[in-house]
Amino acid sequence: MTDRTYHRLVELLEAEISDEMVALEPDLGQCFGFNSVAKDVWRALEKPTSFAELRAQLLAEYDVPEEQCGRELQALLDEMVKVKLIAPTEQAG
Amino acid sequence: MSRRDTTPTSWPLPAFATVSNFLDESQVNGLLDWVFANQNAFRPAEIVDDHASAGGLVSPSFRIASTLRDIGPERATIERRLWAALPTLERETGCKSGSDTLELELAAHGDGAHYRPHLDISYGPGRRPIGASNGQDRVLSAVYYFYREPKGFSGGALRLYRFGARPAEANGDPSNWVDVEPHRNSLVAFPSFALHEVLNVDCPSGSFENFRFALNCWFCRTL
């Protein structure tokens, strides 16, 4: 599997509520709700971060099997890409 | 992510921060002296216009109040207090502002005053950011309440709606909002992108000295 790196596409206005986060993307005028994992991933993507790094951070934080963690992380990243919050960084070469 | 564009009831209510006795009594009186001495300088309040190229709109059906940008000789003291309070406000609202500028405005609310549900930022395609400086957005809003005693008005509570609510959805089920009373010498802070409203003010005397006064404060940054 390619170890893609992801980066943020937008700045959000954010508010944390307990473990979760609510955010507004002002240019779209759209609100997003982040659960604990999504919030951690969004925070990690403050700087471009690879899939492997993100998975390692989640495995250190949450009690979850590696395979499940990778699968659910990929689904989350795909959803974030779909709504244009983040994008995979193009690799040179 | 857990939710997106779902029904308003599935979103949380905004967390807000309250600081009682925010200023010394002499400073409260200084602010009151200033607004009374400058009554004629207040102008009809404008509303946030997402796309205006210059200036704002006055819309009495949406907002009735009068405002003044010059907050007088207490400005330096108040700004110091606000910056000192910011870490507490950020922690209690869950809103890390990253702010480096502050925008202030005095607002006077007399009989019939209100401000219908709104956000303190502009949003949507083609929006024009509003903030302390060009291109900046308001991130964390705070309202400081003050008035002469004995209190000459009633009403004027701040109503905060669930995140994700649209202005058109801002009614119906009371579980969709929380009301915050405008206590004298208190500061209330909340995320600027939370939908909120100023409920109707009743001020039977109609006298400016009996109005509900607020100092609107916005911590701003460039997104």
Side-chain angles (χ1 to χ4, degrees), chain A residues 3 23-24 29-30 49 61 71 79 93:
Chain A
D3 185 20
L24 175 74
Q30 192 167 35
T49 307
E61 180 74 16
R71 181 164 30 86
E79 174 69 8

Side-chain angles (χ1 to χ4, degrees), chain A residues 8-69:
Chain A
R8 290 183 181 182
L9 287 177
V10 294
E11 281 281 325
L12 298 176
L13 291 161
E14 304 170 1
E16 291 190 15
I17 310 277
S18 301
D19 288 341
E20 301 193 354
M21 186 178 86
V22 175
L24 175 74
E25 204 292 81
D27 293 328
L28 293 174
Q30 192 167 35
C31 264
F32 295 90
F34 293 69
N35 63 19
S36 175
V37 173
K39 185 183 73 174
D40 288 348
V41 169
W42 177 253
R43 291 270 181 265
L45 289 172
E46 200 164 337
K47 59 178 178 41
T49 307
S50 71
F51 178 89
E53 290 172 311
L54 291 168
R55 184 178 53 190
Q57 287 181 33
L58 293 178
L59 286 169
E61 180 74 16
Y62 298 93
D63 184 16
V64 60
E66 184 171 345
E67 188 276 332
Q68 181 187 346
C69 180

Side-chain angles (χ1 to χ4, degrees), chain B:
Chain B
M1 290 180 292
S2 57
R3 292 176 296 261
R4 182 168 63 84
D5 269 3
T6 52
T7 57
T9 52
S10 69
W11 292 81
L13 286 163
F16 61 93
T18 303
V19 181
S20 301
N21 301 313
F22 182 67
L23 296 180
D24 300 336
E25 195 57 30
S26 63
Q27 292 159 346
V28 183
N29 289 326
L31 265 181
L32 283 168
D33 290 344
W34 174 258
V35 296
F36 295 155
N38 290 276
Q39 176 180 352
N40 292 334
F42 279 78
R43 294 289 175 264
E46 297 176 348
I47 61 173
V48 171
D49 180 5
D50 296 337
H51 306 105
S53 57
L57 291 175
V58 174
S59 173
S61 64
F62 197 75
R63 186 184 190 190
I64 295 178
S66 53
T67 58
L68 178 64
R69 286 281 168 169
D70 185 353
I71 73 166
E74 300 291 346
R75 172 179 281 274
T77 302
I78 292 169
E79 286 192 348
R80 270 199 306 277
R81 292 280 176 105
L82 285 166
W83 285 116
L86 183 58
T88 301
L89 304 181
E90 289 180 332
R91 186 176 63 251
E92 294 188 11
T93 60
C95 183
K96 291 185 177 61
S97 70
S99 172
D100 53 11
T101 54
L102 193 52
E103 183 186 0
L104 301 175
E105 173 192 75
L106 287 164
H109 297 80
D111 196 46
H114 61 262
Y115 197 170
R116 300 297 177 226
H118 65 283
L119 278 61
D120 281 350
I121 67 156
S122 65
Y123 60 96
R127 78 191 187 96
R128 183 179 63 92
I130 50 169
S133 305
N134 256 354
Q136 288 199 320
D137 278 290
R138 296 165 176 172
V139 182
L140 183 64
S141 299
V143 187
Y144 171 73
Y145 298 106
F146 63 107
Y147 48 84
R148 191 176 72 169
E149 290 185 311
K151 186 178 174 185
F153 69 91
S154 60
L158 170 70
R159 176 166 289 179
L160 293 166
Y161 290 92
R162 286 185 186 280
F163 282 116
R166 306 274 180 176
E169 299 163 343
N171 51 35
D173 185 350
S175 69
N176 286 336
W177 64 71
V178 60
D179 289 345
V180 185
E181 286 301 314
H183 294 300
R184 186 178 190 272
N185 197 14
S186 69
L187 181 78
V188 177
F190 54 92
S192 297
F193 70 97
L195 186 69
H196 60 283
E197 174 178 12
V198 177
L199 299 182
N200 282 10
V201 173
D202 292 314
C203 182
S205 74
S207 164
F208 189 77
E209 284 74 16
N210 287 325
F211 278 19
R212 167 198 180 277
F213 294 102
L215 176 63
N216 295 323
C217 318
W218 296 284
F219 292 95
C220 304
R221 73 176 163 96
T222 303
L223 291 183

